[in-house]
Amino acid sequence: MCKSDDVTDYDCSAVLCESGFSNLDLELVDSESNVNLLTNETYSASDITISGNETVEFSIQVVSEKSVLTLSDSEWDTGTYDYVLSVGDKNSLDLTLKLERSGGKGCCSNTLLLDSFEIDGEVQEEDTFLTYKIPINNID
């Protein structure tokens, strides 16, 4: 793909790289029924707070026909980031993101990636690409 006599001179004009990690999508679902609590409007943005870094932001967006809570932080780089997500009056979750760089050399090197995502100390598995289902006890 990238050929050059000088390995430090890459021609990346025809290379399409995967974009780096820039946001995290959380689907808030009822812990019993698995119903999306943002889509059915049980919770709205005014019912949600996130703390841990003053630069963290969130919004509610529709991704793949599901309403999700999208987290982003302008300061994300390699390292560990801890947040507290509060949904309603009685749901508080500790979130930990571990970010790393892809490394290597060439056109698509040094991309920011999500190494792991934990909720209350438990590593989470993606439901779909960078979207995680978060079970919420709908008790408010």
Side-chain angles (χ1 to χ4, degrees):
M1 256 184 345
C2 298
K3 288 197 167 209
S4 174
D5 293 336
D6 179 2
V7 293
T8 60
D9 181 25
Y10 298 100
D11 178 8
C12 299
S13 61
V15 177
L16 180 62
C17 298
E18 180 179 319
S19 64
F21 180 77
S22 62
N23 58 50
L24 180 70
D25 293 330
L26 306 176
E27 183 183 2
L28 306 180
V29 296
D30 183 280
S31 60
E32 293 180 12
S33 67
N34 208 34
V35 170
N36 184 308
L37 297 171
L38 298 174
T39 300
N40 75 2
E41 299 179 351
T42 299
Y43 295 109
S44 66
S46 63
D47 300 311
I48 298 168
T49 60
I50 186 160
S51 59
N53 187 342
E54 62 191 38
T55 56
V56 69
E57 297 179 4
F58 72 87
S59 61
I60 296 175
Q61 299 186 19
V62 176
V63 175
S64 300
E65 300 180 19
K66 299 184 273 189
S67 292
V68 296
L69 181 67
T70 299
L71 306 181
S72 62
D73 193 322
S74 61
E75 304 218 347
W76 278 339
D77 202 345
T78 57
T80 301
Y81 297 85
D82 295 309
Y83 302 100
V84 176
L85 172 66
S86 298
V87 181
D89 294 328
K90 299 186 174 122
N91 292 289
S92 181
L93 305 163
D94 293 324
L95 310 180
T96 301
L97 285 74
K98 294 180 183 171
L99 305 178
E100 63 182 17
R101 294 250 174 224
S102 60
K105 295 181 180 180
C107 298
C108 299
S109 63
N110 206 30
T111 302
L112 189 63
L113 304 171
L114 179 64
D115 179 47
S116 67
F117 173 58
E118 298 176 9
I119 300 174
D120 294 333
E122 292 186 33
V123 175
Q124 303 298 301
E125 298 294 325
E126 293 175 82
D127 183 47
T128 56
F129 182 70
L130 289 182
T131 300
Y132 295 84
K133 279 192 177 183
I134 309 298
I136 299 293
N137 295 320
N138 189 12
I139 54 178
D140 287 350

